[in-house]
Amino acid sequence: MNDNQSPNQPWLLLIHQLPSKPAYLRVKIWRRLQNIGAVAVKSTVYALPATAETQEDFAWLLKEIIEGGGEAMVCEARLIDGLSDDQARALFDTARDADYEALATEARALASTLDAAAGSEEKNEARAQIRRLRKQLADVMAIDFFGATGRLAAEGIIAALEIRLATDEDINASDSLAVPTAEDLKGRIWVTRKGVHIDRIACSWLIRRFIDPDAVIRFVPGKGYTPKPGELRFDMFEGEFTHEGDRCSFEVLLARAGLDDPALQAIAEIVHDIDLKDGKFARDEATGIAHLIAGIAVAHAEDEERIAQGGPVFDNLYQYFRKKRR
């Protein structure tokens, strides 16, 4: 959940009642609500954050409902009792995370078939499916109002598929992009999304513990941020260090920084299992660490404090795995 919306923000509420017949009208309106990203706060009350675009979406839907013989009204409201702004945003994040996970699951399934897809016909079919997934991802991102965490994983897996099937010319073009090396990482300003959780807390610890003890880390809105010269973004869409394929940002940062340490690799596997929720490494420690980090996030609203509290968790994990290896 991002903080790109102010507290006590305005919401648009669509309150409606549909006739029992025709039956298809209910399905039609439900699909329209899904397509514009509205979430149900009551059985017949749907919400959207109040913007000019969402107001237009609800206006068109209101027209359809009335023309179909139903009743509806749209109003602007501020939540006071019963449902907080944070809880409302969580409803949107949960809905979008489900969309992202569905796309990621489909992309993983497609990736597993590419090993055997050696022929041009199979690859052409795979490219068509990837284009469809990319379009669906763009559609979900358009209604991801608060920056759900599942976006990076889905984007990373689809991007990895695109690279696998790219032409040699495309690959050469992507290789020409300047990627910071380990020597470039000290004395830099690091930037990540507000509302840090497991991956961003772990990355922040890694940066200050092993890369640059004096690193400055700034927290910015996840959407609409324009990086300044010299900044390095991590766990952000189009960031220099972010999800790649089925690797979380911590794994990518660890590899790019050249930190070949088995204890850090064990931590990376735990962070991966918690962040991506795919059970890839099946680390027994993941559940307990996930609860610890979730507790820190609940108890501390400020990002710098979350990092300060999360640091000792990863310090202790690191010492544990170092001693265990000995």
Side-chain angles (χ1 to χ4, degrees):
M1 177 176 62
N2 284 336
D3 295 337
N4 55 342
Q5 299 287 338
S6 60
N8 300 316
Q9 69 173 66
W11 300 89
L12 292 177
L13 301 180
L14 171 70
I15 305 168
H16 71 288
Q17 185 173 357
L18 299 175
S20 57
K21 293 182 180 180
Y24 74 83
L25 180 64
R26 293 180 177 275
V27 176
K28 178 183 177 182
I29 297 303
W30 180 82
R31 286 177 177 168
R32 291 276 195 274
L33 288 164
Q34 301 303 303
N35 289 339
I36 64 176
V39 300
V41 294
K42 293 289 183 182
S43 59
T44 59
V45 181
Y46 281 77
L48 283 172
T51 67
E53 293 80 8
T54 56
Q55 186 170 354
E56 183 177 354
D57 287 337
F58 265 166
W60 282 107
L61 193 53
L62 178 73
K63 184 174 181 290
E64 286 190 65
I65 293 172
I66 294 174
E67 289 178 348
E71 298 178 2
M73 62 178 291
V74 175
C75 61
E76 184 174 308
R78 293 182 185 272
L79 304 177
I80 300 175
D81 292 320
L83 186 70
S84 69
D85 285 339
D86 285 347
Q87 290 170 328
R89 293 182 193 129
L91 292 175
F92 285 93
D93 286 344
T94 298
R96 298 294 78 80
D97 276 334
D99 294 336
Y100 287 132
E101 180 55 33
L103 288 173
T105 299
E106 190 172 352
R108 290 187 189 104
L110 178 59
S112 68
T113 67
L114 286 180
D115 294 336
S120 60
E121 184 176 344
E122 292 87 351
K123 289 185 177 180
N124 286 336
E125 173 61 26
R127 289 190 184 96
Q129 293 187 50
I130 292 170
R131 285 194 294 271
R132 176 180 56 80
L133 289 173
R134 172 61 70 177
K135 171 62 169 60
Q136 291 177 341
L137 177 65
D139 291 341
V140 175
M141 287 165 56
I143 57 174
D144 183 8
F145 303 111
F146 303 105
T149 57
R151 171 181 173 178
L152 287 174
E155 165 67 22
I157 294 169
I158 292 173
L161 279 170
E162 290 170 333
I163 291 171
R164 286 180 65 179
L165 290 171
T167 63
D168 292 340
E169 186 176 317
D170 292 334
I171 293 174
N172 290 336
S174 67
D175 287 343
S176 67
L177 297 175
V179 176
T181 61
E183 294 77 32
D184 301 321
L185 301 184
K186 291 192 175 182
R188 305 294 291 271
I189 295 176
W190 298 78
V191 178
T192 193
R193 295 174 292 131
K194 293 181 179 180
V196 297
H197 205 68
I198 180 66
D199 203 3
R200 281 164 285 163
I201 293 174
C203 285
S204 300
W205 169 79
L206 185 69
I207 291 165
R208 287 178 171 167
R209 179 76 162 75
F210 293 94
I211 296 175
D212 183 0
D214 299 319
V216 175
I217 300 177
R218 293 178 179 169
F219 310 98
V220 302
K223 296 177 70 174
Y225 179 73
T226 301
K228 298 178 177 61
E231 289 183 342
L232 294 176
R233 295 163 295 171
F234 64 96
D235 204 50
M236 291 185 70
F237 183 63
E238 296 183 338
E240 288 74 20
F241 300 93
T242 191
H243 287 231
E244 292 182 0
D246 67 345
R247 295 189 300 168
C248 67
S249 299
F250 186 91
E251 293 174 283
V252 171
L253 180 57
L254 188 65
R256 297 271 189 86
L259 297 171
D260 186 16
D261 185 329
L264 290 176
Q265 181 56 44
I267 293 174
E269 293 176 0
I270 294 171
V271 174
H272 175 107
D273 281 354
I274 297 171
D275 191 49
L276 271 68
K277 303 179 180 65
D278 60 1
K280 177 179 179 179
F281 298 105
R283 298 291 313 204
D284 293 335
E285 305 89 350
T287 300
I289 299 302
H291 289 157
L292 279 173
I293 298 300
I296 289 171
V298 169
H300 302 280
E302 296 297 323
D303 290 309
E304 194 64 61
E305 187 62 25
R306 289 184 183 184
I307 290 173
Q309 295 293 326
V313 174
F314 291 105
D315 280 334
N316 290 327
L317 271 178
Y318 181 68
Q319 294 302 325
Y320 168 74
F321 286 121
R322 287 192 68 189
K323 291 179 179 179
K324 185 176 180 181
R325 183 171 178 79
R326 293 197 194 106

